[in-house]
């Protein structure tokens, strides 16, 4: 066992000494460099860059993403010494070494599995000593598409009359999903609530976009991670025009009822 030795380069040799104190020849020198210095620079994981799918940008800790390989980014508080590297961990598993540029760093994550993952960064010196780990940065990876949304019956019978032009289009979908409703040439967006329910009330320009007659409504759900689900459809009919004035034919041929015409038919067209 060696006594406490200082940082730096050291050279050790060994020789045999007998009971009489006679010393043999020295071994070849064994060189050792001691580096017990702990890095003092502190790190932070400041974000993750999502560049996949419909929802992209800088993610904060706790975000949900469908990007299975985002780029972690962070900052350096303090100076790195020669030989220092920034090592990235997922839980207790070392992933690799980050790229340093000035007082910032970045790291391309490998392909991640679905679930909630926790990342941290630490400065590691040339001797393998590590400083203080950064605070954890968590991401939830979700690559599963939402299920097909449900569209309830519109205006009780899927026929929108003149008195029902503000009828609700409603249904269910994944909790928190963004719901895109295609109505004619219009696209409306609402959000499914904590129970998965969503609703949208028709506007005057929606009725104009549909026009009179049959129309197919499309509804698509996009979850918080940006996964887009299949589109549900429902056919409705818009009928807001009042009927034309009916015509009444002559009754009993001359609109005069005599004794023999007490059961005459009133008829017409509409």
């Amino acid at each position: 066992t060696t006594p406490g030795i200082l940082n730096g380069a050291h050279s050790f040799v060994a020789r045999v000494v007998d009971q009489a104190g006679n010393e043999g020849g020295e071994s070849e020198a064994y060189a050792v460099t001691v580096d017990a210095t702990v890095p003092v620079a502190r790190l932070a994981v400041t974000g993750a860059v999502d560049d996949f799918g419909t929802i992209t940008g800088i993610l904060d800790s706790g975000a949900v993403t469908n990007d299975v390989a985002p780029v972690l980014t962070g900052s350096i508080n303090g100076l790195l010494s020669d030989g220092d590297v920034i090592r990235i961990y997922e839980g207790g598993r070392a992933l690799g070494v980050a790229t340093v540029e000035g007082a910032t760093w970045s790291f391309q994550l490998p392909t991640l599995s679905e679930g909630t993952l926790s990342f941290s960064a630490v400065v590691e010196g040339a001797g393998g000593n590590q400083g203080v780990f950064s605070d954890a940065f968590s991401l939830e990876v979700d690559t599963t598409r939402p299920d097909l949304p449900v569209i309830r019956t519109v205006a009780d019978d899927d026929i929108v009359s003149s008195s029902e032009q503000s009828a609700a289009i409603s249904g269910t979908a994944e909790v928190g999903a963004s719901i895109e409703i295609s109505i004619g040439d219009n696209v409306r967006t609402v959000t499914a609530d904590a129970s998965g329910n969503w609703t949208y009330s028709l506007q005057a320009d929606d009725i104009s976009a549909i026009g009179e007659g049959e129309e197919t409504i499309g509804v698509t759900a996009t979850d918080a991670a940006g996964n887009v689900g299949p589109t549900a459809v429902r056919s409705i009919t818009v009928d807001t025009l009042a009927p034309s004035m009916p015509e009444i034919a002559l009754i009993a041929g001359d609109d005069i009822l005599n004794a023999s015409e007490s059961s005459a038919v009133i008829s017409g067209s509409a």
Side-chain angles (χ1 to χ4, degrees):
T1 301
T2 59
I5 55 177
L6 301 177
N7 288 338
H10 302 270
S11 180
F12 298 92
V13 296
R15 61 167 62 92
V16 176
V17 180
D18 64 19
Q19 292 182 345
N22 301 304
E23 297 182 353
E26 290 184 350
S27 68
E28 293 183 1
Y30 184 83
V32 173
T33 299
V34 176
D35 181 2
T37 303
V38 176
V40 295
R42 301 291 294 268
L43 304 177
V45 185
T46 56
V49 181
D50 180 337
D51 62 0
F52 175 81
T54 59
I55 300 176
T56 59
I58 306 299
L59 304 175
D60 294 327
S61 182
V64 183
T65 179
N66 63 349
D67 189 341
V68 297
V71 175
L72 283 184
T73 59
S75 60
I76 306 168
N77 184 8
L79 297 176
L80 298 179
S81 300
D82 289 343
D84 285 353
V85 296
I86 294 176
R87 195 167 296 280
I88 308 301
Y89 284 80
E90 186 271 300
R93 178 170 67 105
L95 299 180
V97 172
T99 299
V100 175
E101 184 174 348
T104 63
W105 58 266
S106 62
F107 179 74
Q108 174 64 64
L109 289 167
T111 301
L112 305 172
S113 56
E114 282 200 302
T116 300
L117 306 174
S118 179
F119 303 95
S120 58
V122 67
V123 178
E124 183 175 289
N129 304 303
Q130 293 183 330
V132 177
F133 275 77
S134 69
D135 291 337
F137 183 96
S138 67
L139 286 177
E140 181 182 346
V141 179
D142 175 9
T143 60
T144 303
R145 298 174 70 195
D147 292 333
L148 185 72
V150 172
I151 310 173
R152 299 188 182 100
T153 304
V154 179
D156 294 329
D157 55 5
D158 286 334
I159 300 174
V160 178
S161 68
S162 59
S163 63
E164 298 170 324
Q165 296 186 58
S166 59
I169 301 174
S170 64
T172 58
E174 181 176 314
V175 171
S178 175
I179 307 302
E180 187 175 275
I181 308 166
S182 297
I183 308 168
D185 293 330
N186 293 341
V187 177
R188 308 301 192 188
T189 303
V190 295
T191 301
D193 65 19
S195 298
N197 294 305
W198 56 268
T199 186
Y200 171 76
S201 295
L202 288 168
Q203 307 295 315
D205 60 340
D206 295 323
I207 301 300
S208 298
I210 296 172
E212 293 289 309
E214 188 173 328
E215 176 67 27
T216 298
I217 295 172
V219 173
T220 306
T222 301
D223 66 18
N227 301 300
V228 181
T231 299
V233 296
R234 189 174 196 95
S235 293
I236 66 171
T237 299
V238 174
D239 182 2
T240 62
L241 299 179
S244 301
M245 181 182 292
E247 295 183 0
I248 305 173
L250 286 174
I251 302 171
D254 55 5
D255 286 339
I256 300 173
L257 296 177
N258 58 35
S260 64
E261 297 170 328
S262 60
S263 59
V265 174
I266 300 175
S267 64
S269 62

